[in-house]
């Protein structure tokens, strides 16, 4: 994905991320793509791999209202969206009851937290009881609470790898599908690039990277509004459309992805994918989608197809791109 | 015709899904309810919302979720205080909510609703009245994820689904590899701007008066006797073609709902009376009423029902059906019937996953699995409340923070000090997804041949049963010493596939020792957390090494709350210690006994002495 952010307005934000977080190029790009396309991002990785830090830096660096919530085993919706209040009002008169003596008691939610944020981090989402997530994820999907729209651009959920932790439960498929972009993040220590871990160590020891950085905004919050306004107009040329369809066809026909083992939903792969392709083009500073933008699809398949198929997605994409070049 | 406007609106909103679109139109005209089932992201909600917007002035949209309260469906409760002799009288009344005033209701994600909400909802749908009040509701459209998919609500039962005359199952274009449809959806996604998407379907192509006129015309269409007879024969054929107990062919469905749907179909066709082609409309009723294979055979079943010898006019439905089945037997495709023969004894999933190298029918293991599953169930019931769980019922509030879950009116009275005692609040429980199970399998020298195969079969079945509940499982083989099989260094894990391959192990050597494997399992349990703990001990022999009565382990199992289920495969007398183990820890006791054809049959062990 060379050329990303070259000359685009996002370069400053990316530089800010690079200044405070070592490595994780892919996750940084995916986060920014999520903000540009207004898609939610799911990051899975071991503790301490800068997942939350990246999200917070991206938000603060662009003056977006940020909300962080640590999910836990007993998480309830009310903790995320504000306070539950009981409202009582004297009952209004009605034709049958000209002088009512009584009151109307109504349970409602005073908006807070998630409902007012533009970027939110839902930390350790797998710790929350699966059932509790339904409502939350519905809010994320519709970007509405009740009838009121919410200002949220992107929710970033983080999770530890799905091992056999005692309280972890895998997200159920419908919930997983709400996160357009999904990727796993590794730790630098023990990665195939030991020099990154070394660099992290050096920069911390030398004080170049602070643990709690004071962040100055590097762009204004209007940036994402401007980008989003342009997003829908970015042309998607015919060969790219064909390549996308061919890619999906190959997954189903040659790699046996079906409704039981994969989550190849129409909504994600025919509608959201178009947004991501366009976002990828915008981030590269281009005015039209190109075959190279199809690489973003590998951030969609991470947890939507079986792991062994996902491992082959880059290869499949190469073949498809070759065919429709 | 006015209905075409609605059809156009649906077609412009969604690509493909013709059956669902037809079903929705028919529902609107026939004033019936619709149940749309399909995977995420295939357009269920979009279709439902489009119909509601396109066809009515009074829609309501209910998004079901785990915490949907009956109050959200019915309306708000109000507390009325009226002066009465010597004080005031408090009473509670209902301010009717949107659902009670709507003509078309979209019930999104109904499968996520808690049982309580469904209990309130279904009578409303069925009777179209509540608390003596007639409702304007014409059509409710429910959407749901496929049953069996991981969902956290209480699954709807078939009998509940019967309220939904029209039932259609949808699938995604991508995952079903429908290339042309996928192409069109993509084209639309590229074209459609967010603003246009919001505007789509906001018009009202069909006025309320036009809608009512359509409904009245449909209801007045002639339904000739020949079609009535054919419909009843079709109902009978559908029932015959389905395996015993798997068809939901009710009087309501075929006596009341189907005629309305046929009339609506005739009207939409532009016909002035119901005729044979309208029988095809029964197809939109079948998603959850008959197995898929039977639904696929519908055209043939309709042909048979139409062409049946004319016993029809005025015949008793039962007679007609008998005759058809008597004469139509040969050469008729009834895929369901052949399935039925296989299924009589063994549930399909057990048949499907039977390993090829076994000479046992899995049905023989079934009683054991069912008994163990029953205990797993019991374990989960004991698990009790969980603040993050699903609301199940009301009980008295126990902790102050539960006030958020309390009945609002009682909560207010409580705060005012007017409530004697505590308000009622939801009891939340979690379905058991968890728990731990250790499988201890005897591989001593005597466990060879069919005993070993059979033990493998039992292990395999147990793993599958436990996997459905997402239990963590530990697997240990023992003879004179116990060997633990770990994944990532853990004894208890969820690598079900790996566990099932271990079940195929065929080794048999050494002598039997009960103490070692129980010791090992209990040590693991002691280190871990959580309740719902089980051990299944599979053995064929008496312990010749270690403590033969495992007194320390029995004590420890009781202390740790571990249930020990014992399965004795030997032919001799079952060691008393196995009975003791199970009895003391509330486990199940089974033994394998020889059966015809060199097979083994599993049956509950009965107490030999009355010394309980």
């Amino acid at each position: 994905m060379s050329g990303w952010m070259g000359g685009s307005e996002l370069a400053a934000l990316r530089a800010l991320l690079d200044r405070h977080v070592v490595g994780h190029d892919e996750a940084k790009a995916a986060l920014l793509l999520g903000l540009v396309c207004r898609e939610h991002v799911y990051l899975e990785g071991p503790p301490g791999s800068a997942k939350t830090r990246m999200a917070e830096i991206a938000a603060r660096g662009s003056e977006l209202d940020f909300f962080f919530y640590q999910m836990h085993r007993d998480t309830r919706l009310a903790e995320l969206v504000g306070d539950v209040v009981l409202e009582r009002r004297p009952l209004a008169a009605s034709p049958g009851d000209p002088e009512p003596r009584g009151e109307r008691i109504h349970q409602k939610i005073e908006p807070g937290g998630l409902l007012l944020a533009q970027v939110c981090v839902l930390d350790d989402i797998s710790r929350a009881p699966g059932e509790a997530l339904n409502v939350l994820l519905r809010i994320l999907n519709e970007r509405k609470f009740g009838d009121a729209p919410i200002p949220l651009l992107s929710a970033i959920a983080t999770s530890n790898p799905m091992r056999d932790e005692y309280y972890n439960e895998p997200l159920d498929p419908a919930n997983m599908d709400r996160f357009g972009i999904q990727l796993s993040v590794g730790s630098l220590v023990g990665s195939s690039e030991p020099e990154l871990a070394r660099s992290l160590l050096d920069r911390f020891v030398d004080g170049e990277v602070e643990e709690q950085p004071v962040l100055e905004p590097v762009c204004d919050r209007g940036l994402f509004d401007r980008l989003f306004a342009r997003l829908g107009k970015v042309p998607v040329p015919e060969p790219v459309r064909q390549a996308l369809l061919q890619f999906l066809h190959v997954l189903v026909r040659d790699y046996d992805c079906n409704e039981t083992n994969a989550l190849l939903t129409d909504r994600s792969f025919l509608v959201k994918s178009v947004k991501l392709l366009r976002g990828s083009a915008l981030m590269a500073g281009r005015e039209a989608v190109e075959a190279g933008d199809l690489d973003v699809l590998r951030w969609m398949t991470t947890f939507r197809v079986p792991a062994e198929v996902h491992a082959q997605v880059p290869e499949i994409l190469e073949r498809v791109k070759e065919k429709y070049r | 015709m006015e209905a075409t406007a609605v059809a156009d609106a649906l077609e412009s909103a969604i690509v493909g899904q013709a059956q669902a679109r037809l079903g929705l139109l028919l529902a609107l005209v026939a004033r019936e309810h619709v149940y749309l089932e399909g995977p995420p992201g295939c357009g269920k909600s979009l279709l439902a919302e489009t119909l509601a917007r396109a066809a009515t002035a009074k829609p309501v949209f209910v998004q079901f979720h785990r915490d949907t309260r009956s109050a959200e469906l019915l309306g708000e409760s109000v507390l009325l205080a009226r002066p009465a002799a010597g004080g005031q009288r408090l009473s509670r009344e209902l301010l009717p909510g949107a659902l009670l005033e709507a003509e078309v209701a979209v019930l999104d994600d109904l499968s996520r609703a808690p049982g309580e909400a469904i209990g309130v909802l279904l009578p409303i749908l069925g009777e179209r009245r509540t608390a003596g009040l007639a409702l304007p509701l014409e059509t409710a459209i429910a959407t749901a994820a496929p049953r069996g998919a991981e969902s956290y609500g209480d699954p709807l039962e078939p009998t509940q689904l019967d309220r939904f005359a029209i039932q259609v199952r949808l699938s995604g274009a991508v995952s079903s590899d429908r290339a042309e449809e996928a192409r069109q959806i993509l084209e639309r996604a590229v074209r459609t701007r967010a603003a246009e998407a919001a505007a789509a379907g906001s018009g009202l192509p069909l006025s309320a008066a036009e809608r009512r006129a359509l409904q009245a015309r449909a209801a007045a269409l002639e339904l000739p006797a020949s079609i009535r007879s054919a419909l009843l024969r079709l109902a009978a054929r559908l029932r015959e073609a389905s395996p015993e107990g798997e068809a939901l062919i009710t009087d309501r469905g075929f006596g009341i709902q189907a005629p309305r749907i046929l009339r609506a179909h005739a009207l939409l066709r532009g016909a002035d009376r119901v005729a044979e082609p309208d029988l095809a409309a029964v197809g939109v009723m079948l998603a959850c009423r008959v197995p898929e294979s039977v639904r696929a055979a519908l055209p043939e079943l309709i042909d048979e029902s139409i062409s049946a010898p004319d016993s029809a006019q005025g015949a008793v439905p039962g007679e007609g059906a008998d005759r058809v089945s008597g004469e139509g037997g040969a050469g008729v495709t009834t895929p369901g019937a052949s399935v039925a023969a296989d299924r009589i004894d063994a549930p399909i999933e057990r048949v499907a996953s039977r390993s090829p190298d076994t000479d046992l029918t899995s049905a023989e293991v079934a009683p054991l699995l069912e008994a163990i599953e029953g205990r797993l169930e019991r374990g989960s019931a004991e698990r009790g409340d969980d603040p993050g769980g699903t609301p199940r019922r009301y009980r008295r509030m126990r902790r102050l923070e539960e006030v958020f879950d309390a009945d609002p009116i009682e909560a207010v009275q409580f705060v005012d000090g007017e409530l004697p005692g505590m308000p009622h609040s939801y009891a939340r429980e979690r379905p058991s997804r968890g728990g731990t199970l250790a499988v201890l399998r005897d591989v001593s020298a005597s466990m060879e041949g069919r005993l070993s195969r059979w033990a493998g079969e039992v292990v395999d079945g147990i793993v599958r049963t436990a996997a459905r509940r997402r239990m963590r499982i530990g697997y240990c083989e023992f003879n004179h010493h116990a060997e633990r099989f770990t994944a990532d260094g853990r004894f208890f894990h969820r690598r079900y596939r790996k566990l099932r391959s271990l079940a195929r192990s065929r080794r048999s050597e050494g002598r039997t020792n009960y103490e070692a494997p129980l010791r090992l399992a209990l040590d693991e349990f002691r280190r871990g957390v959580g309740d719902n703990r089980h051990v299944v001990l599979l053995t064929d022999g008496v312990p010749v090494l270690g403590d033969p009565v495992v007194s320390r382990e029995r004590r420890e199992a009781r202390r740790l709350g571990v249930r020990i289920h014992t399965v004795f495969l030997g032919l001799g007398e079952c060691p008393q210690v196995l009975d003791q183990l199970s009895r003391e820890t509330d486990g199940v006791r089974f033994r394998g006994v020889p059966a015809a054809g060199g097979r083994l049959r599993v049956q509950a062990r009965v107490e030999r002495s009355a010394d309980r």
Side-chain angles (χ1 to χ4, degrees), chain B residues 396-397 410 413-414 418-424:
Chain B
R396 293 277 170 201
M397 190 174 95
E410 289 193 0
Q413 289 177 302
F414 172 70
E418 288 169 1
L419 192 72
M422 289 288 182
H424 281 88

Side-chain angles (χ1 to χ4, degrees), chain A residues 88 101 138 169 241 249, chain B residues 63 81 177 187 416 430:
Chain A
R88 41 201 305 191
R101 292 163 55 86
R138 185 77 196 184
E169 285 174 15
R241 298 181 202 190
H249 178 62
Chain B
Q63 170 63 50
D177 211 13
E187 294 298 338
D416 288 351
R430 291 185 85 175

Side-chain angles (χ1 to χ4, degrees), chain B residues 442 444 478-480 511-518 537 539-550 568 573-578 581:
Chain B
D442 191 343
S444 63
F478 69 94
N479 38 38
H480 44 282
R511 292 183 294 164
T512 303
N513 174 353
Y514 289 174
E515 186 186 347
L518 285 171
L537 177 69
T539 179
D540 74 326
V542 259
V544 293
L545 292 164
D547 177 4
V549 293
V550 289
F568 183 67
E573 196 159 296
C574 172
Q576 220 161 355
V577 62
L578 292 183
L581 268 171

Side-chain angles (χ1 to χ4, degrees), chain B residues 157-170:
Chain B
E157 287 166 19
T159 47
Q160 297 178 320
L161 287 173
D162 196 40
R163 319 255 179 193
F164 297 91
I166 290 174
Q167 309 174 343
V168 179
R169 197 166 277 142
L170 290 78

Side-chain angles (χ1 to χ4, degrees), chain B residues 575-589:
Chain B
Q576 220 161 355
V577 62
L578 292 183
D579 282 339
Q580 226 169 343
L581 268 171
S582 292
R583 204 172 51 227
E584 288 180 6
T585 61
D586 193 25
V588 298
R589 292 165 293 161

Side-chain angles (χ1 to χ4, degrees), chain B residues 97-426:
Chain B
L99 181 61
L100 303 190
E101 295 181 338
E103 291 163 335
V104 173
V106 176
L107 312 171
D108 217 5
D109 279 335
L110 185 63
S111 49
R112 294 197 194 277
E116 188 224 356
I118 289 180
V120 168
L121 179 70
L122 290 179
I124 294 180
L125 299 185
E127 324 285 324
R128 290 189 170 87
R129 54 172 48 247
T130 186
L133 183 73
L135 305 178
L137 183 68
E138 295 173 9
T139 298
I141 307 154
T143 72
R147 279 174 297 166
E150 229 170 320
S151 67
Y152 298 100
D154 300 311
L156 287 171
E157 287 166 19
T159 47
Q160 297 178 320
L161 287 173
D162 196 40
R163 319 255 179 193
F164 297 91
I166 290 174
Q167 309 174 343
V168 179
R169 197 166 277 142
L170 290 78
S171 63
V174 171
S175 50
S176 311
D177 211 13
R178 293 195 297 267
E180 188 43 39
E181 243 175 70
R183 170 97 221 174
Q184 287 179 34
I185 297 171
L186 177 66
E187 294 298 338
R188 203 168 285 191
V190 172
R191 258 203 328 269
T192 309
R193 304 277 311 284
E196 292 166 18
S202 60
L204 288 173
L206 191 64
S207 73
E210 286 169 330
R211 187 183 72 244
R212 296 215 178 85
L214 273 179
Q215 290 166 344
R217 271 165 54 201
L221 282 188
E222 187 194 344
L223 183 57
S226 63
I227 302 295
R228 296 179 199 198
S229 307
L231 178 63
L232 290 174
R233 280 195 297 269
L234 178 60
R237 306 282 355 230
L238 285 167
R239 195 199 302 264
E240 287 160 27
S242 306
E244 185 73 31
E246 289 193 24
L248 184 72
I249 308 295
T250 61
D251 292 352
R252 172 170 39 202
F254 283 79
I256 300 169
Q257 296 169 342
R260 290 189 191 138
I261 292 170
L262 296 195
R263 283 180 158 140
H265 191 263
L267 184 79
L268 292 177
R269 223 163 36 89
D272 53 4
R273 67 208 297 255
V274 181
E276 287 171 2
D278 299 315
L279 284 169
V282 168
V284 300
M285 300 180 63
L286 298 181
C288 304
R289 287 192 166 95
V290 298
E292 189 58 34
S293 56
V294 177
R295 202 179 67 78
L298 182 68
E300 290 105 82
L301 296 178
I302 289 177
D303 285 346
E304 290 163 30
S305 307
I306 293 171
S307 60
D310 200 30
S311 62
Q313 303 282 349
V316 183
E319 271 179 31
D322 284 346
R323 197 179 293 196
V324 170
S325 67
E327 292 171 10
V332 173
T333 328
T334 48
S338 57
V339 175
D342 287 341
R343 280 196 198 166
I344 289 167
D345 289 352
I348 187 72
E349 50 149 338
R350 293 195 178 122
V351 174
S353 51
R354 192 161 71 208
S355 49
D357 64 339
T358 179
D359 59 357
L360 293 156
T361 68
S362 300
E364 288 160 339
V365 185
L368 168 68
L369 297 181
E370 277 156 23
I372 290 182
E373 185 151 21
R375 289 308 151 105
L376 302 184
E377 207 65 75
R378 201 185 299 178
S380 69
E382 280 164 14
R383 192 170 167 169
D385 295 3
D386 184 308
T390 311
R392 292 282 163 190
R393 59 178 187 280
Y394 272 122
R395 58 156 166 69
R396 293 277 170 201
M397 190 174 95
R398 290 179 194 159
R399 291 188 302 272
L400 197 55
E401 73 227 39
E402 289 176 2
V403 79
F404 296 118
D405 255 0
D407 177 88
I409 289 190
E410 289 193 0
V412 166
Q413 289 177 302
F414 172 70
V415 171
D416 288 351
E418 288 169 1
L419 192 72
M422 289 288 182
H424 281 88
S425 152
Y426 273 131

Side-chain angles (χ1 to χ4, degrees), chain A residues 262-313:
Chain A
L263 199 61
L264 294 179
T265 62
D266 297 353
R267 175 175 55 205
S268 297
F269 283 90
L270 297 175
V271 181
K272 285 186 181 174
S273 61
V274 174
K275 284 171 78 184
L276 295 187
L277 291 174
R278 287 173 158 160
S280 166
L282 278 186
M283 285 178 68
R286 273 186 274 107
E287 288 305 319
V289 175
E290 290 179 354
D293 294 316
L294 288 164
D295 284 344
V296 295
L297 293 172
R298 70 173 198 270
W299 292 339
M300 301 193 72
T301 55
T302 318
F303 302 107
R304 288 188 172 96
V305 302
E308 56 274 22
V309 178
H310 175 68
Q312 298 181 57
V313 161

